[in-house]
Every structure is written in C-alpha cells, then in structure tokens.
Amino acid sequence: MAEHPHAVLVRKGYEAFQRGDMDALRGLMTADCTQHVPGSHPLSGDHKGQDAIVEMYGRLFEETNGTMSAELRSLLVDGRGHVVALHHFTAERKGKRLEEDGCIIFRIVGDKATDLDECVEDIDRSNDFWS
C-alpha cells in the first residue's frame, strides 16, 4: 500500500533538512508557515514565514557546526491534515552533546505544511543545551 501523501511530504522535508537543502524545504511549506520551538532559549519561540524558519534552521546548523541530525523514526497520519513525525535528535555545541527523542506535529493544507509544533523529550535539557 502506498504511503499517505502527507507522510510523503513530511518525509521529503526531513530528507531535505538532513541535506541542508533549504530551497527544497521552502517548496514544502506555505509562505506564512509557522514553526513553534519550545523552551526558553535564544532559538525558541514562533518562527513565522519561510524566511524566518529557514533562518532558524541556518542558526541550528551554525550553532552546532553542522553536527546536528534529526533521524526520522516514524510518521503517524490522521488523514485530516495532521502528521506526527517522531525523530531522534543529536547535536554537539560548546562542549555539550544533546541526544534525545522528539517530534514535530505538522499541519498540512493541500500539499504544503502550514504549521509545525515541535516537542522535545526534556525541555530543561534542551534549554541548557541551546542557552
């Protein structure tokens, strides 16, 4: 059985992210897409619009000297425009290493992501790593 189109979209996004292909990522989200990053660190908050999201991704790569990786583990689809993407995240920054599971809840309209809500395994550990 073929993978649901929303799962295909999110899978393409993770693959583009891993390659650092920001142009491909732009093509998968609406112009006014918003990504919500949890926590109380300099990269947390709401990043509204493709430019803001791509800029935030650039900062993630820069802050971790390219060591960051989000390995997609599983996709859960509801068929109504929501996909939960479970991933394993690793990165190194300023002598620290972060390794944890997390997820992003995608909202999809048509064939584009409109909203990304990120959840992390340990908010305090994440805040410490990114601060």
Side-chain angles (χ1 to χ4, degrees), residues 6 9 26-31 50 107-115:
H6 293 163
L9 176 78
R26 284 179 189 276
L28 301 174
M29 63 180 101
T30 61
Q50 290 178 352
R107 286 169 187 78
I108 299 169
V109 175
D111 61 352
K112 304 256 186 198
T114 64
D115 201 70

Side-chain angles (χ1 to χ4, degrees), residues 46-117:
D46 297 334
H47 304 272
K48 185 161 180 66
Q50 290 178 352
D51 290 341
I53 293 170
V54 167
E55 179 182 318
M56 185 262 297
Y57 291 164
R59 288 185 61 200
L60 292 174
F61 285 109
E62 184 179 304
E63 289 285 329
T64 63
N65 291 318
T67 63
M68 179 186 61
S69 175
E71 178 188 335
L72 184 60
R73 297 276 173 95
S74 183
L75 293 170
L76 309 172
V77 179
D78 73 353
R80 298 178 295 116
H82 300 94
V83 177
V84 177
L86 305 170
H87 59 255
H88 187 72
F89 182 86
T90 58
E92 295 178 11
R93 178 178 181 269
K94 297 184 178 180
K96 299 178 190 175
R97 179 168 174 79
L98 181 63
E99 184 168 345
E100 66 179 3
D101 293 326
C103 78
I104 299 177
I105 303 158
F106 291 81
R107 286 169 187 78
I108 299 169
V109 175
D111 61 352
K112 304 256 186 198
T114 64
D115 201 70
L116 292 74
D117 281 316

